[in-house]
Amino acid sequence: MSAMVPFRRVLLAAAALAACLIGEVRAEDSSPWVSDSHSAVRLLAGSRSGAVLLGGIAIQLEPGWKTYWRAPGDSGVPPRFDFSKSENVEAVTILWPAPTRFDDGAGGTSLGYKKQVVLPLRIVAKNADKPVTLRATVSYAVCEKLCVPVEASPELAFVSVASTQDATLSAALDTVPVPANVGDPHPVTVRDVKREGQSVIVDVTTPDFTAVDLFVEGPTPEWSLPVPKRIDPGPAGVKRFEFALEGLPPGVKPDGAALKLTLVGAERSYEYNVNLE
C-alpha cells in the first residue's frame, strides 16, 4: 500500500534539498578554519578542470605574530606538510610566495610571513574523472617573542564548479617567484654571481630607489646558509649582496654546489639556480 504525498510538499522538499546542495558546493570552495590561539589555517579549492587542480593553504596570523618560509633564516622552523591521507591525489606541489625578512629578536634574521599568506598548491589527481579530497596535516610555528608549535589537519573536497576562490589563488600565484637566468634583461635582475674565497658576491641590477632583497638556499635542506647582507659600495645601478659559505653539512665542500637565489622586488620576484665555481 502506498501513501499519497501532496505535490506542494514534494516541491518544498526538492527546493530545500537544492538549497542544501548549493550550500555544500559553495562551502567546498574552502574548508572551515582550524584555529589555535594565535593563528588559523584552511584549504582553498580553485575551479576544477582536468587532472591538474589549483588549491591553496591559507594562514592567518594575529597582529605581531609571524610564521616561516621553507628556509627560515638564522632561526625559526620551516613548515611541514603531509598530504598522504588524501583521496585520488597523485602529487601535491607547494608554490611558495616570496618571503620578507624580519629581526628574530636574538640578533639574527628570519624569513617568513606576517598577517596572512596563501601558499598555492598544484594538485595532480590520479583520475581526472573521480572526486578529489585533499587532506593536509600542517605542522608550523608561529612566533612573537617566543615560538609556539601548531598542527592543523584541514580537509576539503574539490568539485567541478566555478570556485569563488579563483581570484584569491590567482593573486597568491602573482607573489610566487618565477624562474629566471642570471643576466636576464628584466628591470630588476641578478647580473652576476661570483665567489671570493669563502664568500659569495651577488650583483643585482635595479633602478635607483627600487627596494630589493635577496635570499639563498643550498641544494638540500641540511644546508643552512646565512641570509645575504647588503654591502656598499656597488657599481652605479647595482645593489650588491654578500653571504658566507657557512652552515654546510659536515664534510661537504661548496665547490660545484647548486644554489637557489630568490630575488624579491616590488613588482616581481625571481628564482635563479646557480652553480658555484
Side-chain angles (χ1 to χ4, degrees):
M1 176 172 153
S2 60
M4 297 295 293
V5 180
F7 184 63
R8 178 178 173 80
R9 188 181 300 174
V10 174
L11 290 179
L12 290 174
L17 176 61
C20 290
L21 291 176
I22 291 172
E24 287 175 3
V25 168
R26 288 177 179 170
E28 287 177 346
D29 290 351
S30 60
S31 68
W33 287 103
V34 180
S35 302
D36 73 298
S37 56
H38 304 294
S39 66
V41 177
R42 68 174 178 174
L43 298 176
L44 307 178
S47 299
R48 181 167 179 178
S49 177
V52 181
L53 316 176
L54 180 63
I57 297 176
I59 302 176
Q60 285 191 337
L61 301 159
E62 278 194 343
W65 290 74
K66 55 187 177 286
T67 193
Y68 295 100
W69 191 43
R70 65 187 180 220
D74 296 330
S75 63
V77 180
R80 297 286 182 259
F81 306 92
D82 182 0
F83 301 100
S84 61
K85 295 181 180 179
S86 301
E87 295 181 15
N88 191 32
V89 171
E90 181 70 32
V92 179
T93 301
I94 301 169
L95 306 175
W96 294 85
T100 57
R101 69 168 71 205
F102 37 77
D103 188 344
D104 67 2
T109 301
S110 293
L111 309 178
Y113 313 101
K114 295 182 177 181
K115 296 182 180 179
Q116 60 184 14
V117 65
V118 175
L119 308 178
L121 304 175
R122 182 180 291 116
I123 304 159
V124 180
K126 292 180 180 178
N127 189 323
D129 299 322
K130 291 184 177 181
V132 167
T133 298
L134 189 67
R135 295 188 178 96
T137 298
V138 187
S139 302
Y140 63 107
V142 293
C143 301
E144 190 188 36
K145 294 180 180 178
L146 296 175
C147 286
V148 179
V150 181
E151 185 167 296
S153 298
E155 68 175 78
L156 179 61
F158 284 62
V159 293
S160 299
V161 294
S163 170
T164 61
Q165 298 296 330
D166 284 346
T168 298
L169 293 170
S170 178
L173 282 173
D174 287 341
T175 67
V176 174
V178 298
N181 296 309
V182 173
D184 279 351
H186 305 304
V188 176
T189 189
V190 171
R191 186 180 78 174
D192 188 32
V193 180
K194 57 187 177 183
R195 180 178 172 183
E196 296 183 354
Q198 290 302 110
S199 295
V200 176
I201 307 296
V202 181
D203 284 345
V204 175
T205 301
T206 174
D208 290 340
F209 310 112
T210 298
V212 295
D213 213 340
L214 185 76
F215 310 122
V216 60
E217 299 167 80
T220 69
E222 289 72 32
W223 285 56
S224 184
L225 294 168
V227 179
K229 295 182 179 180
R230 174 84 184 276
I231 59 174
D232 289 313
V238 170
K239 291 183 171 63
R240 178 164 285 175
F241 293 84
E242 181 182 23
F243 61 91
L245 292 172
E246 300 174 349
L248 280 62
V252 173
K253 295 184 178 180
D255 304 335
L259 304 184
K260 179 180 291 184
L261 301 175
T262 298
L263 176 62
V264 181
E267 299 294 331
R268 174 62 71 182
S269 299
Y270 300 96
E271 281 188 350
Y272 302 80
N273 292 314
V274 297
N275 292 316
L276 284 181
E277 296 181 357

